[in-house]
Amino acid sequence: MEAEPSGSALAAGAAGGKAIRGSALRVGSYGAQLALSLIAVPLMVRHLGPDDYGRYVTVSSIVFIIAGFTEGGLMYLGVRHYVALEGAERERYMRSLTGLRLVLTVLGVLAAIAFTWVTGADQIIVIGTAIVGVGTLFLLVQATYTIPLQAQLRFGTLSIIDLLKQLVLTLFIVAFVVIGTGLQPFYWATVASGLAVLIVTLWFVRGELTTLLPAFDVQVWRRVAHEVLPYGLAAAMGLVYFRLAVVIMSYVATPFETGIYSTAFRMVEVLTSLPWLAVATGFPILVHAREDTQRMRVALQRMFEVSAIAGTALALAIALGAPFAVAVIAGPDFDAAVPVLRLLGLALVTCFLVATWSFALLSRDRFRELLIANTIGVAVVAAGTFALEPSLGAEGAAIATVLGEAVLAALYVVILAQSDRALLPQFGFLWKIVLAAAAGTLAFLLPVPSAIEAVIGLATYVAVLFALGGVPAELLHAFRRRES
């Protein structure tokens, strides 16, 4: 966790190994967070029931979408500039970025409250949007202060902060269930979690800047706006498309169908953070190597291979273990969520690929192309949900979401090829993943509970993949021997 100058950390030959181990560390931390979720979420779902839990997820999705627009890619662009700038110029930029994040998030939360009120949402949704908006304000400002930690590859510190966020959230949710409160107090758990991690993050980065106070430097803001506007809109659209279906359903579907979709969506949503956590550890390397096509090509190909392996593993686990997951987390009232969960699980494959190629395009400033692709993804999900939900219900919304993900991944490949054909992914290894996944699906035939099917299926997938030589050598090397 010791601070290290960002330049030396990225220029060193061990940067790749650090990124791989850092990715594993953050994924491991996220696994611990999921374990905490398995304590809190089942209690909350059973306590609130389908209707109120649907309202809870609706509020979370609305605020998340608004936060996506106000976030505008500021954090990852901040990492780019932290790596490139030094001294007083770096400090001025970072403080101004924090001030800009603060102002934009406040405006975004007010817009979200106005949206729910104007569109006639239930009063509890309007109130919840205001409360969760405050918690989101804390979390987005906190994310800005983690930029020095990311640029310096201090993934141990970041993992601790991530785990603390979920721990505080879990403690409050469990407490509210035990007390027997209604829906509204559960919104306040986000505020408590956001405030806690903001305070801890400020303590960790206290020596990185002369002062941690935000600056309201309009001159820097203009510079940031000129650079961030195209990518900011692209990043916002990228966050919107995956969560758009649940918002649309809250207006056009029955509360029960919305609750069924929200339950399956929430289970997958917590896993969609994994691709971004895992791939983000390699982003500073991609930025540092943007002028070195050969280094970037190799790094990007390895990231693609690992993403395809991990995404397929998660999709397979969900397909096999969906009945068990729904039974444990939601209970028998939510059996209809099983097929919805299996469909949404397919989106995790493309989600990993989208994350990988998104960071590659960001590192090469392909903001306009990202905006166009993400806008198309939003349109596909919206059109698909309106077209399929009336006849297929929650499953129709799930199909629309998966289709939007697949279209987005394909568009990213096209844009990457147009950017530099040398960066075009090599797909020749995919047959190994397909064959390993096919072997894993044979677990469906076993007369055992779905949880055991998932374990056997995953073990088979991994064993076949190793036997075929489908695991990149660099991945194994990073853990066998730590480079000096």
Side-chain angles (χ1 to χ4, degrees):
M1 296 182 194
E2 292 300 319
E4 182 175 4
S6 57
S8 62
L10 296 171
K18 289 179 180 178
I20 293 173
R21 289 189 295 274
S23 176
L25 191 60
R26 298 206 71 183
V27 169
S29 170
Y30 195 73
Q33 295 171 56
L34 290 181
L36 290 172
S37 295
L38 288 176
I39 298 173
V41 174
L43 293 174
M44 181 168 61
V45 172
R46 286 171 168 79
H47 178 73
L48 294 178
D51 291 2
D52 269 353
Y53 188 67
R55 295 184 182 98
Y56 178 85
V57 175
T58 297
V59 167
S60 299
S61 298
I62 291 172
V63 175
F64 195 97
I65 288 172
I66 294 297
F69 279 99
T70 60
E71 200 282 331
L74 291 178
M75 184 173 68
Y76 294 120
L77 288 173
V79 172
R80 287 185 57 206
H81 285 285
Y82 192 92
V83 171
L85 300 176
E86 294 181 357
E89 188 177 3
R90 173 192 283 176
E91 178 156 338
R92 180 188 179 194
Y93 185 88
M94 291 303 303
R95 292 186 60 210
S96 298
L97 194 66
T98 304
L100 181 59
R101 170 66 68 81
L102 188 63
V103 171
L104 290 178
T105 304
V106 169
L107 294 176
V109 170
L110 293 176
I113 296 171
F115 170 79
T116 55
W117 181 71
V118 170
T119 56
D122 293 343
Q123 183 180 14
I124 190 62
I125 291 180
V126 179
I127 294 173
T129 300
I131 297 172
V132 175
V134 174
T136 301
L137 172 64
F138 291 147
L139 289 172
L140 288 179
V141 172
Q142 177 266 342
T144 306
Y145 283 114
T146 66
I147 287 174
L149 305 178
Q150 295 184 59
Q152 296 168 1
L153 307 184
R154 294 172 62 183
F155 301 121
T157 302
L158 289 167
S159 298
I160 290 174
I161 293 172
D162 291 341
L163 187 57
L164 175 65
K165 177 172 64 176
Q166 184 60 47
L167 177 61
V168 174
L169 186 65
T170 298
L171 290 175
F172 272 88
I173 288 175
V174 172
F176 292 145
V177 170
V178 172
I179 295 171
T181 67
L183 173 59
Q184 184 171 327
F186 287 90
Y187 294 133
W188 285 101
T190 303
V191 178
S193 176
L195 181 59
V197 293
L198 174 60
I199 293 172
V200 172
T201 301
L202 291 174
W203 185 83
F204 274 120
V205 300
R206 66 193 184 284
E208 301 300 328
L209 300 171
T210 303
T211 176
L212 295 174
L213 294 176
F216 302 90
D217 191 326
V218 178
Q219 183 178 352
V220 175
W221 286 5
R222 288 198 190 101
R223 192 175 101 198
V224 172
H226 177 75
E227 180 181 24
V228 82
L229 186 59
Y231 177 71
L233 291 174
M237 288 296 184
L239 293 172
V240 165
Y241 78 91
F242 190 73
R243 292 157 182 86
L244 186 59
V246 71
V247 176
I248 293 175
M249 287 193 69
S250 69
Y251 286 94
V252 303
T254 65
F256 178 77
E257 284 290 334
T258 302
I260 290 299
Y261 181 83
S262 296
T263 301
F265 168 78
R266 197 65 166 177
M267 294 181 196
V268 173
E269 185 188 33
V270 297
L271 295 175
T272 59
S273 296
L274 280 173
W276 300 95
L277 283 174
V279 175
T281 59
F283 178 57
I285 296 176
L286 293 179
V287 173
H288 197 260
R290 58 182 296 175
E291 303 301 331
D292 186 344
T293 300
Q294 175 61 18
R295 185 186 179 195
M296 188 170 188
R297 183 186 66 80
V298 172
L300 190 57
Q301 179 64 26
R302 294 297 175 265
M303 290 168 67
F304 168 44
E305 292 171 5
V306 174
S307 292
I309 291 170
T312 303
L314 282 177
L316 177 63
I318 289 176
L320 294 168
F324 173 77
V326 171
V328 170
I329 294 176
D333 292 341
F334 292 81
D335 286 344
V338 171
V340 181
L341 178 57
R342 282 173 168 158
L343 285 168
L344 287 175
L346 296 174
L348 288 170
V349 179
T350 47
C351 189
F352 267 92
L353 304 183
V354 164
T356 298
W357 295 326
S358 176
F359 281 120
L361 294 172
L362 170 59
S363 69
R364 299 181 73 82
D365 300 336
R366 310 296 289 192
F367 305 143
R368 179 175 175 273
E369 292 87 345
L370 279 168
L371 175 58
I372 294 173
N374 290 352
T375 302
I376 293 173
V378 169
V380 169
V381 174
T385 302
F386 279 116
L388 298 176
E389 191 280 329
S391 59
L392 298 177
E395 292 181 43
I399 292 172
T401 301
V402 173
L403 183 59
E405 274 276 352
V407 169
L408 192 60
L411 289 173
Y412 278 9
V413 172
V414 172
I415 298 170
L416 199 60
Q418 292 176 341
S419 171
D420 188 341
R421 291 197 63 83
L423 299 179
L424 186 66
Q426 302 300 307
F427 298 97
F429 73 97
L430 289 178
W431 69 270
K432 300 176 182 179
I433 295 178
V434 172
L435 188 58
T441 58
L442 294 177
F444 271 121
L445 304 176
L446 299 175
V448 295
S450 62
I452 298 177
E453 283 182 2
V455 173
I456 294 174
L458 272 180
T460 303
Y461 170 75
V462 172
V464 173
L465 200 60
F466 268 99
L468 295 174
V471 180
E474 291 88 346
L475 189 64
L476 302 175
H477 176 73
F479 296 101
R480 286 176 178 168
R481 180 175 64 86
R482 293 195 58 167
E483 301 91 341
S484 59

